[in-house]
Amino acid sequence: CLESKKNLLPVWEHLLYSYWAIGQFEEQIQQAEDALFYFPNQAVIWYYYCLGLSELHRYDEALMEMNNYSFLLQGNKQQLFTTTLLKLNVFIQQEKIEEAKEALVDLKNMVQDHPDVIIAEIKLLALQKNGSKKALELANKSNVLAYLPEFLAARAQAFLVNNKLTEAEASINQALESSSNHKGAMLEIKGDILLAMGQKSAAKQIYQEALAFNGYTIRIQSKLNNIN
């Protein structure tokens, strides 16, 4: 039982990952807070704490805490990578393009052709007015990653910003079929695709599902409010 193993870091790591994997982000944050009582200087615990915050759209808090524990990342290449990747994805969610570009450069200097970095770059390119074609090119070049739900969702975004709506819908449906813990974000993408296809009623229903699955976000609520 956990009570007798509270001083074992790997036990906490496994527990926190498990909560993240099944989408129980509130519990993940609570357990990370408990773990930090025993391991206040372990970057991996702070990472899971910030990951949970980001999953609940508490982006400013996540960024603040990541900056606060950055001193723990010196000499820890794995945690530096995962924390920088999390920062990149938070910046993408906040649509902070320049900050995201800087984080992407940092990641590319650490690793080459990492799937999570490729996925994030597709999403970042899709956000930029002049990046839509590059997003689709990178997605098509990276189809070997089609076994990953997150890639399928990013590819759907690339198709969407290039007005390839049939392909976008097929890709996001594939992502939703194979994902368990990030369906809220994927449902938002599906809502965007349906809205672009002129299916307002269906889009509204999907956005409402996204809110129920993902928790309240101003962005999704704004999209709902704009549907006549």
Side-chain angles (χ1 to χ4, degrees), residues 79-199:
Q79 285 306 315
L80 179 60
F81 171 78
T82 55
T83 295
T84 306
L85 179 63
L86 179 55
K87 279 186 178 181
L88 170 57
N89 281 311
V90 168
F91 288 140
I92 289 171
Q93 286 298 318
Q94 293 182 312
E95 299 187 8
K96 293 182 176 179
I97 304 299
E98 294 309 313
E99 292 91 334
K101 285 181 178 179
E102 290 179 16
L104 180 62
V105 169
D106 290 341
L107 285 165
K108 286 185 171 183
N109 287 333
M110 295 181 212
V111 296
Q112 295 295 319
D113 300 323
H114 192 286
D116 290 336
V117 177
I118 292 170
I119 291 167
E121 185 171 7
I122 293 169
K123 293 190 292 184
L124 177 57
L125 286 168
L127 278 179
Q128 300 171 64
K129 290 180 180 179
N130 62 346
S132 58
K133 289 183 179 179
K134 290 182 180 179
L136 189 55
E137 287 172 4
L138 181 56
N140 286 333
K141 189 173 74 173
S142 307
N143 269 328
V144 67
L145 301 178
Y147 66 96
L148 295 170
E150 293 80 8
F151 169 78
L152 294 169
R155 187 177 68 180
Q157 288 179 288
F159 281 133
L160 172 60
V161 295
N162 283 278
N163 204 35
K164 294 181 178 291
L165 303 183
T166 302
E167 295 92 331
E169 185 178 26
S171 194
I172 198 60
N173 285 342
Q174 282 182 274
L176 286 164
E177 287 169 8
S178 52
S179 175
S180 60
N181 66 333
H182 292 108
K183 284 189 176 176
M186 292 178 184
L187 284 167
E188 181 182 1
I189 296 169
K190 182 168 183 176
D192 293 345
I193 294 165
L194 290 171
L195 194 59
M197 297 172 85
Q199 300 180 28

Side-chain angles (χ1 to χ4, degrees), residues 13-69:
E13 285 187 64
H14 178 73
L15 181 69
L16 294 172
Y17 173 81
S18 297
Y19 279 121
W20 175 80
I22 61 176
Q24 293 190 15
F25 307 126
E26 291 278 8
E27 188 65 25
Q28 176 186 338
I29 291 170
Q30 181 60 56
Q31 291 294 334
E33 289 174 345
D34 292 346
L36 285 168
F37 177 81
Y38 299 96
F39 299 100
N41 294 317
Q42 286 292 340
V44 65
I45 303 297
W46 282 105
Y47 165 75
Y48 277 111
Y49 178 62
C50 293
L51 179 61
L53 291 174
S54 72
E55 295 286 8
L56 295 178
H57 323 295
R58 293 162 62 178
Y59 300 126
D60 290 337
E61 291 175 69
L63 288 170
M64 180 183 71
E65 295 296 355
M66 280 188 276
N67 288 333
N68 287 343
Y69 79 76

